[in-house]
Amino acid sequence: MRLNSFAGGKKLLALLALALLLSGCEHAKKVALTGRVTSTEEGLMEGVLVSAKQAEGPMRVTVVSDSKGVYSFPADRLEPGDYDITIRAATYELYDAIHTGKISTSVRTGETTNLDLKLKKTADVASQLTSAEWLESAPGSEQEKSKLFRCVACHDLAPVMKSKYDEKSWPTTVKRMENWLAPSVIQSPLPSPLPPPEGAPDATLTAYLATINLNGRNTWPFALKTFPRPKGAATRVIITEYDLPGKLRLPHDVAVGHDGFVWYNDFQQPIFGKLDPRTGATKEWSLPILRPKYPQGMLTIKIDKEGNAWLPRFFQGCTLVKFDTKTETKTTWRVPSEFDTDQSRCGHVALGAPDGTVWMSDSGGRKMFRLHPDTGRFDTFDSFPGYVADKKATAIETAGRKSKGHRTYGIGVDSEGNGYFADIAGGTIGRVDAKTGEVQLFPTPTPDSGPRRTNMDREDKYWFGENYVSKIGMFDTKTRTMKEWTPPTPWNGAYPTVRDKTGAVWTVGMSTDYIYRMDPASGEFTEYLLPTLNANLRRVDVDNSTTPPTIWVAEVHQGKLAKIEPLPN
Ligand code: HEC
């Protein structure tokens, strides 16, 4: 009896020990770093982005505090090592960092590091504002703000708002902007080899600019507004950012490969590369200079169904490069010389045509090309038949609406091989019939919507960002009907739009640091905030091999790629 009970007790103890050990393991497996985020003003704070950057390494992982103010990093996301901790929470900064410059911590194998974070109101809200928040804060009519909004491309609005130009000196500055080419950034301006457009800049814009900057005053004549912090579903996400090598990397696009790698291209240099998301290691290749006086970088990189990379050379001649990712060899095609002009900007490519042809657009020459890769032959289509570039009188009328002009931008192809393009200047979607070559234009519901980057989904629905009006649109190529949705943040400048395998639709823009997820059934949006200010986002790609799908963006102005993993609710 005694013996039995002793044996039984031992068994129980062993079981208890095992349970403790298991739960211990479980716990260690689960959380590497955790803590509570508080401030005097709010107590426990939801929606604070907490980032841990490898002290030596290119990766930075970000999580968001929940409704109890708790943030936690799963152990499989932080390798043991030293990390620098930063936060993003509008109008706040990290209290300890104010005194010590930065906050660092270590993560050890099998242990949970506890680190509570105290936030303090910042004295410099202006340095935290996104361009969309500047636009929301500034006074002015919708029309005036729309003009200011168009300045957000090469840089955010902070230099504009912090400038001291008055009504007399603004025109010279705005005129100088007209000479910079699209891939320019403040640190690296690229002048146009062509003469700038004639005439003085828009006087209503320059007069407006003088009313909102620091001309003759030390502070802004309006309150600085910030968007609310993430809450609920928007806090359930893990974001991993990767620093790219090199001094001034401007990764314009990111594209998910088939081999676990993620591909990117550079906007100013003739470089493309691949990133290993597990380690942050990169490998890069460069392309030859074909037009020395013109910018060398590229707009896009896309991956075909065999996993090969396609790169249109943009300013560098109307040229298309295919990079075989297995043999690491390049094949190059150039359009017939009569179509390869000084104006050519062959920046976009569309893959997936059933017959193996590949489409490329020339936004400067307003053409669509269809390449037959086996023979090297290009079919050429006028995107806007009858339209003479910049002769507004010849602009095409669609559904009783006359466009201001036309310009081909992002392109796509449906399951029957018909070509599609976004007419960014005209606010229409174009369709090129694969058999007859006939071009038809369909107006977007909102005029002058600036349709920009596009993606064809598996049901032949053609998605696009309506950049100029901050909406997203969809052209159903079967019913030839359009639909639009509006993300909640104003001035979001939706740029690309893509649908994932679950049906969710994703978009980003240059003026906010949000990654927007939209449920087409309910029209509901979730806004995931990036930890990096002024990331300047233009491309979103989805990795459908994971469940739920993983989202990738390129932070063009910050030289980083970012992986967004929404967590189940
Ligand atoms: C095509 C790219 C591009 C666009 C679009 C652009 N800028 Fe700039 N901006 C630059 C570059 C490059 C620099 C740095 C070189 C320079 O100062 O000219 C700059 C610098 C600035 C500066 C800081 C330098 C200074 O003179 O104070 C201000 C202010 C500015 N831009 C205002 C504007 C305004 C206003 C608009 C919209 C009307 C605009 N920018 C649109 C490229 C651009």
Side-chain angles (χ1 to χ4, degrees):
M1 176 82 189
R2 213 186 132 89
L3 235 160
N4 262 353
S5 119
F6 180 64
K10 229 175 144 184
K11 227 187 243 166
L12 201 73
L13 269 178
L15 272 174
L16 262 173
L18 188 72
L20 268 175
L21 192 78
L22 276 178
S23 73
C25 277
E26 213 19 45
H27 190 63
K29 224 189 279 165
K30 270 194 184 141
V31 179
L33 171 62
T34 184
R36 299 190 317 163
V37 188
T38 57
S39 64
T40 314
E41 288 78 8
E42 295 187 43
L44 293 167
M45 293 174 77
E46 181 181 17
V48 175
L49 276 67
V50 180
S51 304
K53 166 82 176 55
Q54 292 176 327
E56 283 166 42
M59 287 155 72
R60 178 166 86 154
V61 184
T62 298
V63 295
V64 189
S65 61
D66 63 15
S67 57
K68 298 187 184 73
V70 175
Y71 76 89
S72 57
F73 289 87
D76 59 358
R77 298 320 173 93
L78 288 188
E79 300 260 301
D82 296 335
Y83 290 89
D84 294 333
I85 306 299
T86 50
I87 60 115
R88 180 171 192 179
T91 74
Y92 286 96
E93 57 193 349
L94 205 43
Y95 185 80
D96 293 339
I98 302 168
H99 306 292
T100 58
K102 68 176 179 182
I103 292 192
S104 305
T105 194
S106 320
V107 169
R108 285 185 209 88
T109 318
E111 286 179 24
T112 299
T113 304
N114 276 287
L115 182 69
D116 288 343
L117 300 172
K118 192 152 172 46
L119 309 194
K120 186 181 175 284
K121 281 279 178 189
T122 179
D124 184 12
V125 177
S127 295
Q128 296 188 344
L129 257 49
T130 61
S131 296
E133 286 167 326
W134 278 117
L135 281 155
E136 198 49 11
S137 304
S141 68
E142 192 78 5
Q143 211 186 4
E144 285 166 329
K145 291 192 189 190
S146 297
K147 289 178 184 171
L148 175 60
F149 169 71
R150 298 284 276 275
C151 298
V152 185
C154 312
H155 52 76
D156 58 273
L157 289 183
V160 179
M161 301 308 230
K162 290 180 177 175
S163 71
K164 298 203 173 283
Y165 299 114
D166 61 12
E167 198 172 338
K168 284 207 197 76
S169 48
W170 260 122
T172 340
T173 305
V174 173
K175 196 75 202 156
R176 191 169 79 242
M177 300 304 139
E178 292 175 3
N179 186 44
W180 302 131
L181 291 173
S184 298
V185 287
I186 286 189
Q187 315 90 294
S188 177
L190 299 181
S192 171
L194 304 171
E198 276 170 25
D202 184 341
T204 55
L205 170 66
T206 50
Y208 173 60
L209 289 170
T211 67
I212 52 167
N213 68 349
L214 293 182
N215 125 62
R217 49 192 161 238
N218 294 324
T219 185
W220 291 276
F222 52 87
L224 304 186
K225 290 184 203 150
T226 56
F227 295 144
R229 287 201 306 275
K231 56 174 192 265
T235 66
R236 289 190 281 280
V237 63
I238 300 179
I239 297 170
T240 311
E241 294 174 294
Y242 301 85
D243 284 339
L244 295 177
K247 252 211 252 125
L248 186 69
R249 276 287 175 283
L250 298 169
H252 195 285
D253 270 24
V254 63
V256 175
H258 291 194
D259 41 10
F261 290 95
V262 171
W263 295 79
Y264 60 93
N265 65 298
D266 195 274
F267 200 17
Q268 282 208 0
Q269 299 176 66
I271 287 174
F272 64 100
K274 68 173 183 181
L275 165 82
D276 183 346
R278 287 150 296 212
T279 62
T282 53
K283 181 171 179 184
E284 294 188 335
W285 293 266
S286 59
L287 294 168
I289 307 301
L290 305 172
R291 278 216 171 122
K293 282 195 198 136
Y294 284 78
Q296 301 169 359
M298 288 157 282
L299 275 183
T300 198
I301 181 163
K302 283 196 181 168
I303 305 293
D304 68 17
K305 58 180 190 297
E306 280 87 39
N308 299 310
W310 291 78
L311 297 130
R313 293 294 310 272
F314 197 28
F315 283 90
Q316 288 290 309
C318 198
T319 307
L320 187 56
V321 177
K322 176 191 178 184
F323 182 71
D324 185 316
T325 51
K326 288 188 195 72
T327 60
E328 301 191 356
T329 49
K330 301 175 202 110
T331 315
T332 302
W333 296 270
R334 196 161 180 163
V335 304
S337 53
E338 71 259 38
F339 302 121
D340 192 357
T341 70
D342 283 355
Q343 305 291 339
S344 291
R345 305 283 180 267
C346 294
H348 298 274
V349 61
L351 305 164
D355 59 356
T357 55
V358 177
W359 289 76
M360 175 165 73
S361 65
D362 177 356
S363 40
R366 296 172 175 81
K367 299 256 179 325
M368 287 281 279
F369 299 105
R370 180 173 57 190
L371 167 70
H372 301 259
D374 43 353
T375 59
R377 194 182 93 227
F378 278 98
D379 304 321
T380 306
F381 308 91
D382 227 329
S383 304
F384 311 102
Y387 174 64
V388 184
D390 301 327
K391 287 239 161 54
K392 293 195 170 60
T394 65
I396 300 159
E397 196 173 300
T398 49
R401 203 168 81 199
K402 190 129 180 168
S403 295
K404 289 181 181 153
H406 300 282
R407 202 170 170 91
T408 326
Y409 208 79
I411 60 174
V413 59
D414 69 15
S415 62
E416 286 162 12
N418 303 300
Y420 295 83
F421 58 86
D423 167 16
I424 188 168
T428 71
I429 294 297
R431 177 186 187 274
V432 187
D433 190 279
K435 294 196 189 77
T436 64
E438 188 204 355
V439 176
Q440 278 174 289
L441 300 180
F442 301 87
T444 59
T446 306
D448 300 322
S449 60
R452 206 145 193 177
R453 282 298 187 91
T454 68
N455 275 290
M456 192 68 73
D457 74 12
R458 293 171 188 181
E459 295 165 7
D460 281 343
K461 291 186 170 117
Y462 192 47
W463 294 87
F464 45 91
E466 296 185 318
N467 184 237
Y468 298 167
V469 294
S470 294
K471 298 181 186 186
I472 61 177
M474 185 270 286
F475 178 55
D476 185 328
T477 66
K478 298 215 171 91
T479 60
R480 312 260 172 110
T481 50
M482 298 244 197
K483 228 180 142 174
E484 287 177 340
W485 295 264
T486 310
T489 15
W491 306 108
N492 59 72
Y495 198 108
T497 304
V498 63
R499 194 173 177 209
D500 71 24
K501 68 174 177 189
T502 70
V505 174
W506 298 86
T507 189
V508 294
M510 296 190 285
S511 44
T512 73
D513 303 316
Y514 290 112
I515 287 109
Y516 301 86
R517 177 189 188 276
M518 197 264 288
D519 175 357
S522 64
E524 213 174 283
F525 281 85
T526 310
E527 300 164 303
Y528 298 104
L529 183 63
L530 278 179
T532 305
L533 179 68
N534 295 324
N536 195 286
L537 308 170
R538 309 176 191 212
R539 170 85 181 266
V540 58
D541 202 14
V542 295
D543 181 354
N544 277 320
S545 71
T546 64
T547 302
T550 304
I551 311 308
W552 283 88
V553 295
E555 299 182 8
V556 185
H557 284 177
Q558 304 297 337
K560 298 180 197 181
L561 302 183
K563 176 170 76 169
I564 294 92
E565 296 169 276
L567 303 173
N569 286 333

